[in-house]
């Protein structure tokens, strides 16, 4: 059965009925909210505001800014929702599980480009926390370079996505944007909004989020692509500076906003072990019975996340099978005895150059006295004696990871051989 929503069409629109919905078209005269089944037809979409009534009488309101380039101001009159205009209502935001506040008569909000929120309007009080304060507002910022005075680092912490920092002409890689909080501050969330040229065309490939420990920058997380708003949650750190380091970009990097928060009770992941700062080579032979394994140890009983540097050596076709990544427990001879986690990556989703690709095993209750392994395999990919159109990995022969080493299997994982006297390591990052 279709869910019934109420609509807030623009004033001056009229509607006609179809079997499934009521569609509004602009014409003279006033308009009032009407009911409508949710629909999508020939790129048409619902209006900016739709709502439904919960079983307890609360109103659940969806607000969307369909303009991907400009902010939009919206205003809800409670009377149009069938509510009492003189009652004081509690508004909470469902996405973020935060309390907006108490409102009577109406609620107004400016939505960022492409932003959608769902608001609950209730007569009952809420125990949800209020939204956290952006600690970067009013602070100072600096950058590795700037395009011009109108694109300086301060534009990335002014609270507006209409302004932005951009690197200097001709820059792309090894650029950075730093937020100086002025004093040691507890931080456990950072949100980054990348500029997309008005068409969701994002340029940053790989990045590192860092915090200042008083003497040097420490890596919190690494990743591949940012996009219009990437939120990073991590265990609380006490720091005076946050830095986004842009390792690789296809064009001049540009950031609309970098926000910094301390959210009570917030948690997440941060880097525990990492050998990806070393120089590395690449090779692409994962197919059929050929598998690679990196052995590793753990400093804790959990493995929430791992970054593995992967790629696809595409020439004229994609591999015939998925790229499989297994986390296994090893015996004393470093051979797999139990599979703990497996992920399958489709060939069309693999980058063309070695890139930190994140997997989320979310394993708990692990034994830190044991050894573990990460296996790369693609049993359905054909072995045509070529390394073209195969899955690849990044590696180093300089023993970049003391807690383990790389192993090779040429019989589908039945037997394993340690290569390069144990000095070869795959490039990866373990989080805690």
């Amino acid at each position: 059965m279709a869910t019934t929503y109420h609509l807030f069409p623009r004033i001056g629109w009229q509607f006609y009925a179809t079997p499934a919905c009521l569609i509004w078209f602009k014409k003279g005269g006033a308009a009032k909210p009407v009911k409508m089944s949710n629909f999508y037809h020939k790129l048409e979409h619902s209006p900016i505001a739709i709502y439904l009534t919960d079983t307890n009488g609360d109103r659940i309101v969806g607000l969307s800014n369909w303009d991907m380039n400009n902010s939009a101001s919206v205003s809800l009159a409670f009377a149009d929702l069938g509510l009492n205009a003189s009652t004081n209502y509690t508004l909470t935001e469902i996405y973020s599980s935060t309390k907006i506040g108490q409102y009577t008569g109406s609620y107004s909000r400016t939505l960022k480009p492409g932003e959608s929120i769902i608001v609950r309007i209730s007569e009952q009080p809420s125990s949800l926390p209020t939204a956290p304060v952006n600690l970067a507002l009013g602070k100072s910022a600096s950058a590795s370079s700037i395009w011009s005075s109108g694109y300086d680092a301060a534009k990335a912490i002014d609270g507006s996505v209409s302004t932005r920092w951009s690197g200097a002409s001709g820059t792309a890689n090894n650029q950075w944007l730093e937020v100086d909080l002025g004093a040691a501050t507890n931080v456990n969330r950072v949100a980054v909004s990348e500029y997309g040229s008005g068409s969701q065309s994002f340029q940053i490939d790989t990045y590192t989020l860092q915090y200042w420990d008083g003497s040097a920058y420490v890596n919190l997380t690494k990743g591949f692509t940012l996009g219009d708003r990437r939120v990073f949650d991590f265990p609380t750190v006490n720091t005076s500076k946050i830095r986004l380091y842009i390792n690789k970009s296809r064009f001049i990097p540009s950031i609309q906003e970098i926000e910094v928060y301390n959210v009570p009770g917030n948690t997440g992941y941060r880097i525990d072990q990492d050998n990806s700062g070393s120089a590395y080579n690449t090779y692409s032979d994962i197919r059929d019975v050929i598998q690679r394994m990196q052995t590793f140890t753990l400093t804790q009983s959990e493995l929430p996340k791992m970054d593995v540097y992967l790629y696809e050596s595409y020439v004229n076709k994609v591999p015939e099978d998925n790229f499989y990544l297994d986390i296994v427990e090893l015996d004393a001879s470093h051979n797999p005895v139990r599979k703990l986690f497996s992920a399958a990556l489709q060939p069309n989703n693999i980058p063309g150059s070695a890139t930190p690709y994140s997997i989320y095993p979310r394993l708990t209750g692990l034994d830190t006295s044991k050894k573990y392994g990460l296996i790369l395999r693609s049993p359905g990919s054909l072995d045509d004696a070529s390394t073209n159109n195969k899955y690849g990995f990044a590696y180093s022969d300089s023993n970049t990871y003391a807690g383990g080493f790389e192993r090779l299997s040429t019989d589908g994982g039945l037997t394993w051989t340690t290569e390069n006297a144990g000095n070869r390591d795959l490039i990866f990052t373990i989080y805690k």
Side-chain angles (χ1 to χ4, degrees):
M1 180 179 295
T3 301
T4 298
Y5 296 90
H6 301 266
L7 306 189
F8 290 86
R10 301 186 183 196
I11 298 301
W13 288 35
Q14 74 168 21
F15 66 90
Y16 74 88
T18 72
C21 60
L22 299 175
I23 305 177
W24 287 83
F25 287 91
K26 189 172 183 180
K27 197 173 182 179
K32 294 182 179 180
V34 296
K35 291 184 178 180
M36 164 185 156
S37 297
N38 199 17
F39 75 98
Y40 182 88
H41 180 64
K42 292 185 177 180
L43 301 181
E44 296 295 334
H45 50 69
S46 59
I48 291 175
I50 60 176
Y51 80 93
L52 59 80
T53 302
D54 204 353
T55 54
N56 64 355
D58 290 355
R59 302 303 194 265
I60 310 297
V61 183
L63 300 174
S64 297
N65 178 10
W66 298 101
D67 189 337
M68 302 303 295
N69 301 315
N70 303 291
S71 298
S73 297
V74 297
S75 182
L76 297 175
F78 294 163
D80 288 339
L81 300 170
L83 299 174
N84 192 322
S86 60
T87 299
N88 191 29
Y89 293 98
T90 300
L91 271 64
T92 55
E93 187 176 333
I94 293 178
Y95 279 164
S96 61
S97 297
T98 57
K99 182 166 60 179
I100 298 173
Q102 304 291 125
Y103 292 83
T104 302
S106 65
Y107 171 64
S108 297
R109 178 163 178 153
T110 298
L111 298 177
K112 297 176 181 178
E115 182 181 13
S116 294
I117 64 170
I118 299 179
V119 176
R120 177 182 291 273
I121 303 176
S122 177
E123 291 188 50
Q124 303 302 315
S126 173
S127 60
L128 291 174
T130 57
V133 175
N134 180 5
L135 303 173
L137 291 175
K139 301 303 190 296
S140 61
S142 57
S144 52
S145 66
I146 62 171
W147 177 268
S148 68
S149 59
Y151 297 88
D152 55 275
K155 298 297 189 296
I157 58 168
D158 61 3
S160 172
V161 293
S162 298
T163 60
R164 56 191 170 95
W165 161 75
S166 286
S169 176
T171 62
N173 304 333
N174 301 315
Q175 297 295 295
W176 52 263
L177 175 64
E178 176 190 276
V179 179
D180 190 338
L181 300 173
T185 306
N186 285 340
V187 174
N188 55 29
R189 174 177 292 172
V190 171
V192 180
S193 299
E194 183 183 355
Y195 176 64
S197 302
S199 60
Q200 303 292 286
S201 177
F202 302 108
Q203 302 300 322
I204 295 174
D205 275 344
T206 58
Y207 59 85
T208 306
L209 184 67
Q210 305 169 317
Y211 77 96
W212 182 255
D213 71 353
S215 58
Y217 270 108
V218 178
N219 296 337
L220 281 166
T221 186
K222 297 184 177 184
F224 173 56
T225 71
L226 281 167
D228 57 355
R229 192 170 193 270
R230 177 65 63 92
V231 177
F232 303 97
D233 288 323
F234 45 86
T236 301
V237 297
N238 188 257
T239 184
S240 60
K241 290 185 286 189
I242 292 290
R243 185 169 76 169
L244 176 68
Y245 193 94
I246 299 161
N247 304 86
K248 185 178 179 182
S249 182
R250 293 183 296 276
F251 191 61
I252 301 168
S254 188
I255 300 296
Q256 292 173 315
E257 282 293 302
I258 179 167
E259 307 161 39
V260 180
Y261 297 97
N262 180 35
V263 182
N266 189 44
T267 186
Y269 317 133
R270 60 169 295 185
I271 291 173
D272 181 37
Q273 304 176 64
D274 184 21
N275 72 345
S276 63
S278 308
Y280 57 77
N281 298 308
T282 59
Y283 193 64
S284 54
D285 69 346
I286 307 298
R287 80 277 195 182
D288 194 30
V289 295
I290 299 178
Q291 301 181 8
R292 300 275 176 170
M293 176 171 64
Q294 173 67 40
T295 69
F296 60 90
T297 59
L298 293 173
T299 64
Q300 67 205 347
S301 61
E302 299 179 351
L303 180 58
K305 177 185 174 184
M306 241 181 137
D307 293 339
V308 189
Y309 283 63
L310 309 174
Y311 74 103
E312 183 181 300
S313 58
Y314 178 89
V315 175
N316 53 19
K317 66 174 184 175
V318 299
E320 292 78 10
D321 195 5
N322 293 330
F323 197 175
Y324 297 94
L325 286 76
D326 302 329
I327 303 293
V328 297
E329 182 183 316
L330 304 178
D331 61 18
S333 299
H334 302 99
N335 293 315
V337 292
R338 185 163 64 109
K339 184 185 294 186
L340 305 176
F341 168 84
S342 186
L345 310 181
Q346 294 184 340
N348 291 324
N349 292 334
I350 308 298
S353 59
T355 300
Y357 206 106
S358 296
I359 59 173
Y360 295 84
R362 294 186 173 91
L363 295 171
T364 60
L366 301 177
D367 188 341
T368 57
S369 67
K370 294 182 177 180
K371 292 273 190 175
Y372 297 90
L374 168 69
I375 295 177
L376 311 182
R377 60 187 178 90
S378 185
S381 291
L382 299 179
D383 188 352
D384 56 4
S386 169
T387 56
N388 292 334
N389 306 312
K390 304 297 185 297
Y391 296 117
F393 52 90
Y395 73 97
S396 171
D397 283 336
S398 300
N399 195 24
T400 56
Y401 178 66
F405 42 81
E406 180 265 354
R407 308 197 79 196
L408 170 67
S409 174
T410 58
D411 56 11
L414 297 177
T415 60
W416 294 87
T417 302
T418 300
E419 294 194 297
N420 198 34
N423 290 316
R424 176 169 295 170
D425 290 302
L426 302 186
I427 304 300
F428 65 97
T429 307
I430 297 176
Y431 289 76
K432 62 180 179 180

